[in-house]
């Protein structure tokens, strides 16, 4: 290290390796010399050594200018910013316009978010561009009146754009700053940094993109004299200790004969008496998120590359993937320069098969004779455990036989009103025994139930009922007058004595005859409408049955399990809460209406009712875990989360508080509840829980805006296929 406040920024140390072998280490700080200083410094060193070996003083040529002369000349050339006609004023005006509305920072496929302040710790991976690809780049550049660097910049722009950085990508690069032949032999720091704004919008061909880059770069090179530090002061971008201003990715091409990381033994022979070898020092520090260095080989062609990366943000594997993908893109874009850049395949060998096939190998065949509807599966469970407790709500309970009979009676009433397969029946009943009876009755008649939350605004309820066109509405005396039911809609008040007498007139021994197929809808739930008008999602029996069978295979409920149902019926998580225990012989325990909002009540209910399985939205889980009595819920076997991102802090709090398993699931309303799952085992400290892998007979793909699979670690949109799709 150098203390630049007191040290001369060059240091020489002589090592004696043997009687006739020595090594001279000449350590130069970057402030005293740039890349183009290496050759004149090396020539001077060799000349001095040869002269001393010959017992004479070196004869230095007289240089036309000194470094101090250059500094004075540069200041005079730029002129004063107070002079509107000066060069510095013209360059400031250019950069103000050129960098207007520049992105504050670009999104990168990083492993970690930015810390509040960058540590500047870094590491390095290496890569290489084969000789034939390098030759193709040179030929392409020559035929398109451009440079190798511009081709590299265009390819890097594609890599970053396809990695989630957007279409407006600032890339930094150093320029030599030696605009006059008189300074060619000077040792000193002449370089400046330029911001090269790379426009990848509109899906151009690679040839078109290189032409854009060429035009933009030539303008930038013509305005390269304004020092970067002054540019930052003038533009005054939003500053942060966490990132470099104006750009976070740098690209350097060294084609002056000095490669960025020479192998041991390379060097220049000085009349057989001295070998001079360049060894850039790895300081373990970085100024940028990513810094790509490429150097043209002297021997058999090709490019040797180094990627310095911030360890605040990237793991070594991720940095290596980026470097390897750049090589892949250079290969395919130069081979097919007239194809749109969106078609450039940046997936590495084997990666496409892994993403599309191996990770989505979830197919599982089921015996064709198995029941394929929720109602049939429930009836099979009734036959297996008729006298076991099926349902519990506060002080009341029903056995499987009793629940089945009550649901059959109500189903016969619905059938008499015209409900059947493909029909919809709205259900606006608070959480209670009647609610579960109503849902089963709708399924038994072959209909799809539409849960209606009475706490929704009247306008939303009216919209849902008008849009769904239900055959009937099941509700209670308390809620009937508050529901804006369309004129002519048949309303059944389930807790009215007259309705009780009417349903009891039907036999409860058998359900109504209804030919329910796996493709018939089982339920209709509306999306939240947070991104527009709510959309009704019809989920067929095939999808939800597949989902519940997977759940039983994965988590294995038994007759000793007790599952808490606390999610409002208008949210699809409630579907598995209602039916998974009833298809598995477990006991379904209902929380009181509104109880899902009360951590203290839930803690008491979990303990008193012996709950083994419960679902929480992560934010509610966090509130529950902070309840003083939560740690006493020792009977819990498993907690399932979905609906929000599960933070690392909440997961860590869970494992400190409870001894149960924690599972993170994900799924949109437009699928049968969940499509992916993950077991949170506490082995990812500091990282939020992933949504996991696809469940059985489900496939998930992360695609870009052109519907192409994105590489590992790159952001995209999630697409779902398979049995669970609504």
């Amino acid at each position: 290290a150098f203390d630049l406040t007191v040290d001369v920024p060059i240091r020489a140390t002589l090592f004696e390796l043997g009687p006739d072998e020595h090594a001279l280490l000449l350590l130069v700080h970057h402030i005293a010399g740039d890349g183009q200083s290496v050759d004149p410094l090396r020539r001077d060193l060799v000349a001095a050594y040869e002269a001393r070996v010959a017992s004479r003083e070196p004869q230095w040529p007289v240089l036309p200018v000194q470094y101090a002369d250059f500094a004075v000349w540069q200041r005079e050339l730029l002129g004063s910013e107070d002079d509107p006609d000066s060069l510095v004023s013209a360059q400031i005006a250019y950069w103000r316009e050129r960098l207007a509305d520049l992105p504050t920072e670009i999104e990168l496929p990083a492993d970690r978010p930015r810390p509040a302040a960058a540590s500047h710790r870094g590491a390095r991976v290496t890569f290489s561009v084969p000789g034939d690809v390098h030759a193709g780049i040179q030929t392409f550049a020559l035929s398109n009146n451009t440079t190798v660097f511009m081709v590299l910049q265009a390819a890097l722009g594609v890599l970053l754009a396809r990695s989630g950085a957007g279409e407006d990508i600032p890339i930094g690069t150093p320029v030599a700053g030696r605009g006059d032949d008189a300074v060619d032999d000077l040792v000193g720091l002449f370089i400046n940094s330029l911001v090269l704004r790379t426009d990848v919008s509109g899906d151009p061909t690679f040839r078109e993109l290189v032409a854009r880059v060429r035009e933009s770069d030539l303008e930038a090179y013509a305005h390269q004299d304004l020092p970067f530090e002054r540019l930052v002061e003038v533009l005054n971008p939003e500053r942060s200790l966490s990132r470099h201003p104006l750009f976070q990715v740098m690209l350097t091409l060294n084609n002056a004969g000095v490669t960025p990381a020479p192998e041991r033994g390379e060097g220049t022979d000085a009349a057989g008496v001295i070998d001079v070898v360049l060894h850039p020092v790895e300081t373990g520090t970085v100024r940028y998120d990513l810094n790509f260095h490429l150097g043209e080989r002297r021997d058999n062609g090709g490019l040797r590359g180094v990627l310095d990366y911030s360890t605040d943000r990237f793991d070594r594997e991720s940095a290596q993937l980026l470097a390897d993908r750049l090589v892949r893109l250079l290969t395919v874009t130069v081979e097919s320069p007239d194809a749109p850049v969106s078609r450039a395949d940046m997936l590495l060998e084997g990666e496409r098969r892994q993403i599309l096939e191996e990770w989505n190998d979830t197919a599982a065949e089921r015996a064709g004779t198995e029941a394929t509807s929720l109602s049939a599966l429930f009836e099979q469970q009734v036959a297996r455990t008729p006298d076991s407790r099926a349902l519990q709500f506060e002080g009341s309970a029903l056995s499987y036989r009793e629940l089945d009979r009550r649901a059959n009676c109500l189903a016969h009433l619905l059938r008499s009103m015209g409900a059947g397969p493909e029909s919809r029946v709205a259900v606006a009943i608070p959480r209670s025994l009647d609610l579960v009876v109503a849902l089963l009755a709708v399924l038994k008649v072959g209909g799809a139930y539409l849960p209606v939350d009475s706490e929704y605004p009247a306008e939303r309820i009216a919209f849902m009922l008008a849009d769904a066109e239900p055959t009937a509405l099941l509700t209670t005396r308390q809620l009937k007058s508050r529901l804006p039911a369309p004129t002519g809609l048949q309303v059944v008040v389930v807790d009215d004595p007259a309705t009780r007498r009417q349903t009891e007139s039907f036999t409860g021994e058998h359900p109504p005859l209804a030919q329910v197929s796996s493709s018939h809808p089982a339920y209709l739930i509306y999306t939240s409408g947070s991104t527009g008008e709510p959309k009704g999602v019809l989920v067929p029996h095939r999808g939800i049955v597949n989902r519940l069978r997977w759940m039983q295979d994965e988590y294995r409920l038994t007759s000793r399990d007790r599952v808490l149902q606390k999610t409002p019926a208008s949210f699809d998580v409630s579907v598995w809460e209602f039916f998974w225990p009833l298809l598995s012989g477990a006991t379904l325990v209902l929380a009181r209406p509104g109880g899902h909002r009360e951590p203290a009540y839930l803690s008491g209910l979990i303990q008193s009712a012996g709950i083994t399985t419960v679902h929480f939205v992560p934010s509610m889980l966090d509130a529950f875990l902070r309840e003083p009595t939560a740690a006493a819920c020792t009977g819990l076997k498993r907690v399932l989360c979905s609906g929000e991102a599960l933070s690392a802090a909440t997961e860590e709090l869970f494992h400190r508080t409870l001894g149960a398993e924690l599972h993170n699931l994900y799924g949109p309303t437009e699928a049968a509840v969940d499509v992916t799952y993950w077991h949170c085992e506490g082995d990812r400290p500091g990282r939020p829980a992933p949504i996991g892998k696809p469940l059985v007979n489900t496939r998930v793909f992360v695609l870009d805006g052109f519907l192409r699979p994105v590489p590992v670690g790159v952001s995209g949109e999630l697409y779902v296929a398979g049995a669970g799709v609504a």
Side-chain angles (χ1 to χ4, degrees):
F2 290 93
D3 180 354
L4 294 180
T5 62
V6 295
D7 292 343
V8 175
I10 184 168
R11 180 181 304 139
T13 307
L14 186 66
F15 296 91
E16 183 177 352
L17 306 181
D20 299 311
E21 186 177 5
H22 297 74
L24 173 68
L25 171 65
L26 191 62
L27 187 65
V28 182
H29 193 284
H30 203 348
I31 201 172
D34 54 23
Q36 287 194 237
S37 299
V38 173
D39 278 343
L41 179 61
R42 181 161 52 190
R43 288 197 304 270
D44 285 355
L45 181 61
V46 170
Y49 189 82
E50 289 180 331
R52 297 300 180 184
V53 167
S55 300
R56 55 181 173 80
E57 292 187 4
Q59 299 298 311
W60 307 116
V62 178
L63 295 174
V65 295
Q66 297 290 329
Y67 188 78
D69 300 324
F70 167 79
V72 172
W73 170 80
Q74 185 187 46
R75 181 170 298 181
E76 292 175 349
L77 175 70
L78 289 174
S80 171
E81 293 182 24
D82 296 330
D83 179 2
D85 297 323
S86 67
L87 178 62
V88 69
S89 296
Q91 295 206 4
I92 287 174
Y94 167 80
W95 288 111
R96 282 190 192 276
E97 179 180 356
R98 179 71 186 121
L99 301 183
D101 301 318
L102 188 76
T104 302
E105 64 178 279
I106 59 174
E107 291 295 326
L108 296 170
D111 298 291
R112 289 169 290 281
R114 295 186 186 281
S119 71
H120 298 294
R121 288 190 294 268
R124 169 174 291 184
V125 296
T126 61
F127 61 99
S128 61
V129 178
D132 58 334
V133 177
H134 181 206
I137 294 171
Q138 292 174 314
T139 301
F140 176 81
L142 186 62
S143 63
N144 287 271
N145 194 28
T146 186
T147 66
V148 168
F149 174 83
M150 293 173 183
V151 177
L152 297 175
Q153 179 191 336
L156 179 57
V158 174
L159 172 69
L160 297 176
R162 295 277 298 279
S163 298
E167 298 177 330
D168 184 3
I169 301 172
I171 297 173
T173 194
V175 287
R178 297 176 185 248
D180 191 296
D181 292 345
V183 299
D184 284 353
D185 289 332
L186 284 183
V187 174
L189 182 65
F190 292 83
I191 61 171
N192 191 19
S193 294
L194 291 186
V195 185
L196 304 179
R197 198 166 186 174
T198 311
D199 176 13
V200 193
S201 64
D203 196 21
T205 67
F206 189 66
R207 193 185 304 276
E208 291 168 342
L209 178 60
V210 170
R212 288 184 193 177
V213 167
R214 177 184 185 276
E215 180 180 1
S216 175
D217 284 8
L218 289 177
E219 287 184 358
Y221 295 151
H223 298 83
Q224 65 175 278
D225 302 297
L226 182 68
F228 180 77
E229 293 77 8
R230 182 57 185 149
L231 175 64
V232 173
E233 292 174 354
V234 168
L235 296 182
N236 193 27
E238 178 184 321
R239 301 302 293 271
S240 170
L241 295 175
S242 68
R243 64 174 182 268
H244 189 268
L246 301 184
F247 64 87
Q248 293 82 50
V249 178
M250 176 167 269
L251 173 64
T252 304
L253 173 64
N254 192 325
N255 53 6
V258 180
T259 51
E263 299 168 1
R264 179 174 296 276
E266 280 190 15
T268 301
D269 184 80
V273 294
I274 187 172
D275 290 323
V276 180
V277 182
L278 177 67
H279 282 282
V281 176
E282 285 195 52
T283 63
T285 62
V286 292
R287 297 178 61 192
Y288 319 104
D289 290 351
L290 300 169
N291 193 350
F292 291 85
H293 310 257
L294 290 107
E296 295 188 302
R297 296 176 183 267
R298 289 177 169 179
D299 45 11
N300 58 350
L303 295 166
R304 178 182 293 135
V306 166
L307 172 57
D308 291 321
Y309 62 93
S310 166
T311 54
D312 287 346
R313 307 211 61 204
F314 294 93
D315 294 331
R316 174 173 293 275
E317 296 77 9
S318 301
Q320 190 67 63
L321 279 175
L322 282 170
D324 293 343
R325 286 187 186 127
L326 178 61
V327 177
R328 169 72 178 161
L329 277 174
L330 285 167
T331 304
V332 298
T333 51
V334 171
E335 286 178 352
S336 304
D338 295 309
V341 294
S342 65
R343 297 184 191 172
D345 187 2
M346 56 191 283
L347 297 179
L348 304 176
E349 184 177 355
E351 202 170 16
R352 179 178 297 277
R353 174 180 293 276
Q354 182 185 54
I355 291 172
L356 298 184
E357 299 177 24
E358 294 176 9
W359 288 351
N360 281 292
D361 185 12
T362 62
E365 296 295 332
R366 298 285 185 176
T369 57
E370 279 195 271
T372 54
S373 70
L374 292 177
S375 52
L377 288 169
F378 171 70
E379 288 157 8
Q380 288 180 359
Q381 186 59 47
V382 172
R384 287 192 292 268
T385 58
D387 299 317
S388 296
R389 178 171 292 188
L391 188 58
Q392 178 178 321
F393 176 61
E394 297 188 326
S396 302
L398 293 174
S399 69
Y400 274 87
R401 190 198 319 272
E402 292 167 334
L403 176 58
D404 186 52
R405 283 178 172 172
R406 287 185 56 174
N408 284 342
C409 290
L410 183 55
H412 281 291
L413 176 61
L414 290 173
R415 185 73 184 90
S416 70
M417 301 171 67
E422 297 287 357
S423 66
R424 278 84 67 195
V425 177
V427 180
I429 301 174
R431 191 180 296 112
S432 60
L433 300 183
D434 282 335
L435 173 60
V436 181
V437 170
L439 299 182
L440 283 169
V442 175
L443 294 171
K444 282 173 172 286
V445 82
Y449 72 84
L450 164 63
V452 177
D453 191 333
S454 62
E455 295 184 358
Y456 280 164
E459 296 79 7
R460 180 182 173 100
I461 295 175
F463 166 78
M464 291 166 57
L465 294 176
D467 186 58
E469 298 181 335
T471 300
L473 167 64
L474 304 180
T475 189
T476 63
R477 287 178 293 181
Q478 181 184 4
L479 296 181
K480 179 183 177 183
S481 61
R482 293 162 49 188
L483 296 173
T487 303
L489 177 62
Q490 301 178 90
V491 178
V492 178
V493 182
V494 297
D495 58 349
D496 187 280
T499 303
R500 298 284 195 201
R501 290 191 296 271
Q502 190 176 9
T503 56
E504 290 169 2
S505 68
F506 296 101
T507 177
E509 295 300 321
H510 303 286
L513 294 176
Q515 298 297 319
V516 184
S517 78
S518 62
S519 60
H520 283 145
Y523 64 85
L524 168 61
I525 287 182
Y526 278 75
T527 60
S528 65
S530 59
T531 58
E533 190 175 80
K535 298 180 290 295
V537 178
L538 277 166
V539 174
H541 284 270
R542 176 182 59 251
I544 189 60
V545 166
N546 178 78
R547 166 66 173 72
L548 294 179
R549 282 174 169 164
W550 163 81
M551 203 166 195
Q552 180 61 9
D553 289 344
E554 185 70 20
Y555 304 122
R556 297 292 178 182
L557 284 185
T558 71
S559 59
R560 295 185 297 276
D561 278 297
R562 300 169 76 82
V563 179
L564 180 60
Q565 200 291 304
K566 64 181 185 62
T567 304
S570 54
F571 290 95
D572 61 352
V573 169
S574 67
V575 178
W576 71 254
E577 286 182 335
F578 283 122
F579 297 108
W580 180 30
L582 295 179
L583 305 187
S584 308
T587 301
L588 174 61
V589 179
L590 301 175
R592 71 188 181 199
H596 59 284
R597 304 187 184 98
E598 305 170 29
Y601 162 75
L602 291 175
S603 175
L605 179 60
I606 289 170
Q607 294 176 58
S608 63
I611 299 299
T612 63
T613 303
V614 65
H615 172 273
F616 279 103
V617 172
S619 56
M620 188 61 188
L621 174 62
D622 196 82
F624 169 76
L625 294 171
R626 297 181 190 282
E627 174 64 33
T629 58
C633 297
T634 55
L636 278 176
K637 294 180 182 177
R638 62 190 70 84
V639 174
L640 295 96
C641 279
S642 64
E644 299 168 350
L646 177 57
S647 70
T650 299
E651 181 181 344
E652 291 165 5
L653 178 60
F654 177 91
H655 289 299
R656 291 198 305 269
T657 307
L658 295 172
E661 293 182 354
L662 179 63
H663 301 273
N664 191 40
L665 290 81
Y666 168 81
T669 305
E670 293 85 352
V673 190
D674 297 303
V675 295
T676 64
Y677 67 105
W678 180 262
H679 184 187
C680 304
E681 299 182 271
D683 55 353
R684 294 168 52 87
R687 298 192 181 191
I691 64 172
K693 58 185 178 182
L695 53 85
V696 68
N697 293 322
T698 303
R699 302 185 304 281
V700 293
F701 307 96
V702 184
L703 308 181
D704 63 17
F706 300 97
L707 302 185
R708 295 175 64 90
V710 299
V712 175
V714 175
S715 297
E717 290 195 326
L718 188 69
Y719 287 75
V720 182
V725 176

